[in-house]
Amino acid sequence: MESDAFKQPVFVGENGYIQKIDCVMDAIEFLEEWPVEKRGLLHAAACEACYSAYDGCKPVEAAHKAFTTWARKIGIIEDVPTAPPWMTGPKISNADLL
């Protein structure tokens, strides 16, 4: 199986807790933990897309899109700003200057 990592993570939040979904397996676990009484057709479609991507029958991007669509529709998607490159670049210590 090729990598199941998403090109961009999906951030979902509920009750003040934000979770980062990085890959197909993260999405599957999140979907499986979702309360049965809150599931619907979009949830089923997201599950099907994620399981198919995990099995290699669909592209990972299809799973990402289905999961993101479901999360946005039920209102749990979170827009988390990414850090600018200058904040995540290589660190320089004083020892490097000597």
Side-chain angles (χ1 to χ4, degrees):
M1 182 181 131
E2 66 181 72
S3 173
D4 73 339
F6 292 157
K7 289 181 182 174
Q8 284 200 312
V10 180
F11 293 92
V12 291
E14 190 176 37
N15 302 325
Y17 175 72
I18 297 176
Q19 187 172 343
K20 182 179 179 184
I21 308 297
D22 277 321
C23 63
V24 172
M25 185 49 73
D26 288 349
I28 289 170
E29 289 173 356
F30 190 88
L31 289 163
E32 289 295 330
E33 292 174 4
W34 195 251
V36 175
E37 64 275 4
K38 291 184 174 183
R39 297 178 185 185
L41 292 176
L42 274 180
H43 180 275
C47 284
E48 191 277 325
C50 289
Y51 278 115
S52 291
Y54 185 78
D55 291 340
C57 299
K58 282 190 178 180
V60 170
E61 191 55 39
H64 182 270
K65 183 176 181 178
F67 182 82
T68 303
T69 300
W70 170 75
R72 192 174 311 285
K73 181 70 174 176
I74 64 169
I76 62 168
I77 201 95
E78 294 285 337
D79 291 321
V80 176
T82 57
W86 62 267
M87 292 179 77
T88 59
K91 294 184 175 133
I92 300 174
S93 68
N94 288 336
D96 294 335
L97 299 176
L98 299 176

